[in-house]
Amino acid sequence: MRGHHTNLIKPRSSMETIVTEIIKTIKDSDTVIERDMKLLALFFELFRTALGIALEQLDRELATEYKKQGYIVERRDRRTVQCLCGTVSFVRRRMKKPGKKGIYPLDKQLRLKPYQRFSALLMKKVAETATSCVYRKTADIVNRFTLTNLSHQAVKHIVMQSGKLCEEWQDIQRQETPTEETEAPVVYIEGDGMVLRGQHKKQLEIHRMQVYEGREKEGKRTRLIHAYHIASTEYEKTWDRAGWYMHRHYGLSHTIVISNGDGGTGYGYEAFQELAAGCKWHEHQRDVYHIHRKVKERLHFAAPEVQEGIRKSIWNHDETRLALWLDTAESEAEGNDELQDVERLRKYLTRNWTYVEPLNQRQMPEKVHLIQPGACEAGHRIYSYRMKHQGRCWSQEGAEAMVQLITAMKNEEWDAVYDQWGHTAYKPISQRFKNIMRKVMKRVPMQPHKGVHQGNIGTYSSASSPLGKLAKGLQMAHIL
């Protein structure tokens, strides 16, 4: 595509050329697949050419406006941007005003950042695809369905940039004016961590929180009401965002807060108490899934009825029955290791006895839903399916970027992240730019076509005569 275009193609001649090319492509194709591929390439090429012409026309209009403000043209530079339709190339002017840094008016108004090689839409679609498959597969899918040519390294670069956009969007949300607080009678908050394999034989952990207002049935499944998810590879960042969301979104003075955690480091009662500060009532529960798993791990040697008796005693919050079953397990233990396992379980349950009491047996101002066992662990799946298995290992930066992408999509904030594109770097599109676009988009007035002038020849003789045959031939010419 040429760098300078003098005049736009007239609509009629352009349409005739396009139709001719389409017909020629169809005739020259031997197979259906070949035909469709050639037509797709033709349409994308026409679009890229038209887009390049339009951008250079816009650049000329902008240059005229900037000259009125004292800017002068310093030079013309070519820029190439990859879009879903392929590579778009255009020439734009670098302009400078005495005492100020040089700028590219077209780049500024189109919100093209310095060294940006990909369009915003291409980055958005590539990042979306990368949340469900590895980078090489993502590059292969995008290259098959578009006219781009991405490598897996380019996909990784796009994911990292998109992760930073999610971070910027979160910061912008914090700076905006708080919206009206939601008055919810009960708010549930759960937290848990998930371990990943990091580079250089290190371990990374994803810290997750989920806040919701209850559950409802959707067929055989259960859906969390008004759920909001927070995740990061940094514990402090996760906890800070959870606290910001709780106190900004909810008026906690009339709200009962039910918290749930496994009791690990950073997920105890004290940590959740900070998030629930100022609420009407706070109840903390030790996650039932982890309690049952702890019983199974410590009493692997005991009979199934012993393990079941201990679980029922915990569920009924019957401390006397629990002590009897633990004594029974102790009598079945063989060796010091098994005896120590029983003692560890006894101390664990004693330490967390206040928090293992079922919610329906506690004295609370209102009735609340029971938290399903492993509810927070079930939310790990969308992360584990993408970030674990097949020997995958992550750097700190790469894991954080992927976590932010998945979380933004899970919270249905993904579109809002990219709608915020460039707002932190450039001003919104000005009215002057809109007026310039209207000028460029004006179509050339369509000229009415009168068609072929028809007439006849007065032969004053038979139709079989030479003059009669000529007259008949002229009358048929307009339908050939």
Side-chain angles (χ1 to χ4, degrees), residues 49-309:
T49 303
L51 180 59
I53 294 172
L55 291 178
E56 293 185 5
Q57 176 68 15
L58 286 172
D59 185 62
R60 284 195 291 273
E61 298 286 348
L62 284 169
T64 302
E65 295 295 324
Y66 272 78
K67 285 178 181 178
K68 295 177 182 178
Q69 302 175 27
Y71 284 85
I72 59 172
V73 177
E74 189 176 18
R75 63 175 186 268
R76 290 182 174 89
D77 295 327
R78 178 173 294 279
R79 181 157 194 173
T80 302
V81 179
Q82 281 206 47
C83 306
L84 287 174
C85 62
T87 302
V88 177
S89 181
F90 55 92
V91 173
R92 79 274 198 243
R93 293 165 177 78
R94 175 181 170 86
M95 304 190 72
K96 191 173 182 180
K97 191 175 184 179
K100 292 188 177 181
K101 294 178 64 176
I103 61 170
Y104 293 97
L106 184 62
D107 291 3
K108 183 177 179 180
Q109 295 290 8
L110 293 179
R111 300 176 190 172
L112 287 174
K113 298 181 180 180
Y115 309 107
Q116 180 186 333
R117 296 170 47 219
F118 308 102
S119 69
L121 182 60
L122 176 62
M123 291 179 62
K124 183 174 182 287
K125 295 301 180 183
V126 169
E128 284 177 7
T129 308
T131 58
S132 57
C133 55
V134 297
Y135 295 154
R136 289 184 185 275
K137 191 65 176 177
T138 300
D140 182 54
I141 292 172
V142 174
N143 293 340
R144 285 175 184 270
F145 285 92
T146 67
L147 293 185
T148 56
N149 186 19
L150 296 179
S151 64
H152 68 279
Q153 293 96 335
V155 173
K156 179 182 177 181
H157 179 70
I158 290 174
V159 168
M160 300 293 282
Q161 283 189 306
S162 300
K164 291 179 181 178
L165 280 178
C166 293
E167 296 277 358
E168 292 175 4
W169 187 81
Q170 291 279 353
D171 294 338
I172 291 172
Q173 295 303 301
R174 286 191 161 202
Q175 296 170 8
E176 289 184 351
T177 304
T179 56
E180 186 177 353
E181 294 178 342
T182 301
E183 294 291 341
V186 182
V187 172
Y188 301 81
I189 180 166
E190 302 179 48
D192 196 17
M194 183 182 74
V195 177
L196 293 178
R197 181 183 175 187
Q199 293 180 344
H200 310 298
K201 297 182 180 181
K202 294 182 179 179
Q203 281 190 343
L204 297 175
E205 186 173 3
I206 298 176
H207 302 278
R208 285 194 58 250
M209 306 288 292
Q210 57 187 32
V211 182
Y212 56 97
E213 298 173 17
R215 304 192 314 272
E216 62 181 6
K217 282 287 187 180
E218 279 190 350
K220 294 182 179 181
R221 292 181 175 271
T222 302
R223 185 183 71 87
L224 302 180
I225 301 173
H226 299 152
Y228 188 80
H229 304 270
I230 305 108
S232 175
T233 56
E234 300 178 25
Y235 173 83
E236 292 78 10
K237 184 184 294 185
T238 305
W239 222 255
D240 183 54
R241 288 178 179 174
W244 168 81
Y245 180 79
M246 287 284 291
H247 292 90
R248 176 184 173 122
H249 192 72
Y250 293 105
L252 296 179
S253 58
H254 302 287
T255 301
I256 298 174
V257 176
I258 306 297
S259 58
N260 182 43
D262 62 359
T265 304
Y267 293 96
Y269 168 78
E270 294 77 11
F272 285 100
Q273 180 67 20
E274 293 180 9
L275 299 181
C279 70
K280 176 183 177 182
W281 192 283
H282 177 217
E283 289 287 341
H284 182 68
Q285 183 184 31
R286 185 69 68 241
D287 188 69
V288 178
Y289 167 80
H290 290 90
I291 295 173
H292 289 181
R293 189 175 68 177
K294 185 74 70 174
V295 172
K296 187 175 181 179
E297 288 176 355
R298 297 301 186 196
L299 303 182
H300 59 90
F301 59 88
E305 56 269 18
V306 175
Q307 298 183 26
E308 184 63 23

Side-chain angles (χ1 to χ4, degrees), residues 413-479:
E413 296 173 338
W414 183 238
D415 291 337
V417 168
Y418 266 89
D419 286 343
Q420 203 72 23
W421 177 270
H423 282 197
T424 56
Y426 306 117
K427 296 179 181 178
I429 295 177
S430 63
Q431 186 63 40
R432 184 181 72 253
F433 183 65
K434 294 178 181 178
N435 294 336
I436 294 171
M437 288 193 67
R438 291 194 188 99
K439 293 180 182 179
V440 176
M441 292 302 291
K442 284 183 179 178
R443 296 180 178 272
V444 178
M446 181 64 70
Q447 299 295 330
H449 185 63
K450 297 180 180 179
V452 179
H453 295 280
Q454 298 187 23
N456 55 14
I457 299 176
T459 59
Y460 305 105
S461 60
S462 64
S464 61
S465 65
L467 192 59
K469 291 180 179 179
L470 175 62
K472 184 178 180 181
L474 292 174
Q475 289 175 358
M476 294 293 292
H478 70 283
I479 63 172

